[in-house]
Amino acid sequence: MSSATRPAPSDAASSPSAGPLWRDRRFRRFWAGQSISQFGDRISELALPLIAVGTLHASAGQVASLTAVIWTPNLLAVFLGAWVDQQRRKRRLMVLADLVRAAVLATLPIASLTGKVAMGQLYAVAALTGAAGVLFNNAYPPFFTRLVPPYRYLDANSRLSASRSASYVAGPAIGGALVQALSAPVAVLADALSFLASAFLVGRIPIEEPPRTAGETAELSMLGRARQGLVFIARHPVLRACLGCCATVNFFTFITSGLLVLFAGRTLGLSAGTIGLALGAGATGGFLGAVLAPRLSRRLGVGRGIALGTVLFPAPIALATIASGPLLARTGALAAAEFLSGAGLMFFDINLNSLQAAVIPDGLRSRVSGAFSTVNYGIRPLGALLGGLLATVIGVRAALLIAAAGGSLSLLWVLASPILGIRDLPQPAAAHPAPEA
């Protein structure tokens, strides 16, 4: 797998986290902080568009632009990851990212009280919170591997993903109640407070962050270090296949952005409430998939768990396109598609994230993560644009079928790589020479 030699046990393996995760106070703090933050995110995901539409009477184009602005900072992740890798204190960067997001979001309820909320402010909030999120996500991989011992990667990712899925089950309802009771701008304050809670909990986690070794590419420019991350992925057979697989499945599944709801409402004739219940099944499937993923991996193997997810995540979209008959059957088809897709996403994500944590060397984690994110997230808006074009030219049903079939083709990356043969997570690559920039 990796060309790294078998390293000596790290401090993560010899620390308190070597026991069961539920007994590890450090992981419990981190898990609690991330869970609170995830529920806060669901509130903002609902409130920001409602501020744009309800308070500022924004056009459809402005709302779409707001979504694009949130994603745009990910295009710079390759450079930010290169910078983060040169910083020793990853935990401090994560706390800083949480504090920035809390402060930026808090400007909305303040502006609301003075009656000065504007679209320009919404765009600025979206850009700054998106950039802070990229900073947090690039500092996260090396922090995670110092916090969690390798043999607990799957269990830890399972718990974190279960919290995320649970937030999608209950978060929108909580967000809707807050928006109705307090107004959308004031409801955003709950997300700001969730980031403060995350910053407090993460900041209190004792963790050893080793200094960079002498000569660790310090003489390289940021561009050179960013290139190292891209080169390492391109030359690593597992990471290359992981990125190809992720980019393919995300490109095609983002074709469905907005189209599935449109299809459910106009073609299947479902009401907004019925669509909401059916889509909620996806979050339930995601929660169940997150809980079952480690057990499935131990039975099938990590590689086969990834392979199963590459198909089970996109393919069920086709179920919705063939729905017909009475209302219950149409609703059931959409709910079944969302449930299976949600479970497949968790099988895919948890196994893939754990595998990446095992094969990326310590000194390259942030720059590889940044390079990975730039490609993986950067391709998503292209899929959404193609979805709109396909729906216009060949119809929504055909576009959804293309998304299901095309997303399933991501399996080919797994079949043509060493991933399928990986049963257990390999020994983490703690040391590895950086590729020539």
Side-chain angles (χ1 to χ4, degrees), residues 88-370:
R88 179 185 177 189
R89 304 295 186 184
K90 307 298 192 296
R91 183 187 61 175
R92 289 183 181 178
L93 294 178
M94 295 167 68
V95 171
L96 174 63
D98 277 339
L99 292 177
V100 168
R101 287 184 284 189
V104 170
L105 288 168
T107 65
L108 286 173
I110 293 173
S112 174
L113 292 176
T114 60
K116 295 182 179 179
V117 180
M119 278 304 302
Q121 182 183 6
L122 279 188
Y123 288 138
V125 168
L128 291 174
T129 55
V134 174
L135 174 62
F136 186 97
N137 292 338
N138 277 323
Y140 174 95
F143 176 86
F144 176 84
T145 57
R146 305 303 297 183
L147 176 67
V148 179
Y151 69 95
R152 292 296 188 193
Y153 285 171
L154 284 169
D155 289 334
N157 279 316
S158 171
R159 284 164 170 76
L160 292 167
S161 295
S163 293
R164 183 171 183 269
S165 296
S167 75
Y168 278 100
V169 175
I174 296 173
L178 287 174
V179 168
Q180 186 169 354
L182 304 175
S183 81
V186 178
V188 172
L189 185 61
D191 194 14
L193 293 175
S194 78
F195 282 121
L196 287 179
S198 175
F200 174 75
L201 291 168
V202 171
R204 296 184 68 237
I205 297 174
I207 192 167
E208 181 180 346
E209 298 180 279
R212 293 187 296 110
T213 58
E216 191 182 61
T217 68
E219 71 283 357
L220 287 178
S221 65
M222 183 181 295
L223 182 61
R225 294 194 298 271
R227 184 175 182 274
Q228 278 188 339
L230 290 167
V231 169
F232 188 82
I233 292 174
R235 293 179 179 176
H236 198 293
V238 170
L239 291 176
R240 184 173 62 244
C242 284
L243 180 55
C245 184
C246 285
T248 301
V249 75
N250 281 315
F251 175 79
F252 282 101
T253 53
F254 261 66
I255 288 177
T256 69
S257 297
L259 295 184
L260 191 59
V261 172
L262 181 65
F263 180 81
R266 293 186 179 178
T267 305
L268 299 184
L270 304 181
S271 67
T274 302
I275 293 173
L277 289 174
L279 295 182
T284 305
F287 180 81
L288 183 61
V291 172
L292 294 179
R295 187 180 304 174
L296 181 75
S297 298
R298 285 189 285 268
R299 180 177 293 272
L300 299 180
V302 171
R304 291 182 179 180
I306 293 173
L308 176 62
T310 61
V311 177
L312 192 58
F313 173 29
I317 297 171
L319 286 177
T321 67
I322 60 175
S324 61
L327 176 63
L328 183 61
R330 285 174 277 139
T331 305
L334 180 61
E338 287 294 302
F339 182 90
L340 292 173
S341 182
L345 175 60
M346 290 298 103
F347 294 157
F348 181 72
D349 269 358
I350 291 170
N351 285 285
L352 196 77
N353 291 339
S354 300
L355 180 59
Q356 286 178 285
V359 302
I360 300 175
D362 285 339
L364 293 174
R365 290 191 188 278
S366 290
R367 76 194 75 172
V368 170
S369 173

Side-chain angles (χ1 to χ4, degrees), residues 361-435:
D362 285 339
L364 293 174
R365 290 191 188 278
S366 290
R367 76 194 75 172
V368 170
S369 173
F372 200 100
S373 295
T374 292
V375 177
N376 185 35
Y377 291 130
I379 202 168
R380 295 181 179 191
L382 299 179
L385 290 173
L386 178 61
L389 178 62
L390 289 174
T392 302
V393 176
I394 62 177
V396 176
R397 189 191 303 270
L400 293 176
L401 286 172
I402 288 175
S408 299
L409 292 177
S410 60
L411 176 63
L412 298 178
W413 287 96
V414 178
L415 297 179
S417 75
I419 293 177
L420 193 63
I422 298 175
R423 179 165 184 82
D424 301 309
L425 292 178
Q427 185 72 20
H432 196 291

Side-chain angles (χ1 to χ4, degrees), residues 54-104:
T55 305
L56 302 176
H57 308 291
S59 66
Q62 288 176 312
V63 175
S65 297
L66 184 64
T67 302
V69 169
I70 295 174
W71 285 100
T72 298
N74 286 284
L75 297 176
L76 301 177
V78 61
F79 301 108
L80 192 55
W83 178 80
V84 169
D85 253 345
Q86 295 301 104
Q87 314 306 310
R88 179 185 177 189
R89 304 295 186 184
K90 307 298 192 296
R91 183 187 61 175
R92 289 183 181 178
L93 294 178
M94 295 167 68
V95 171
L96 174 63
D98 277 339
L99 292 177
V100 168
R101 287 184 284 189
V104 170

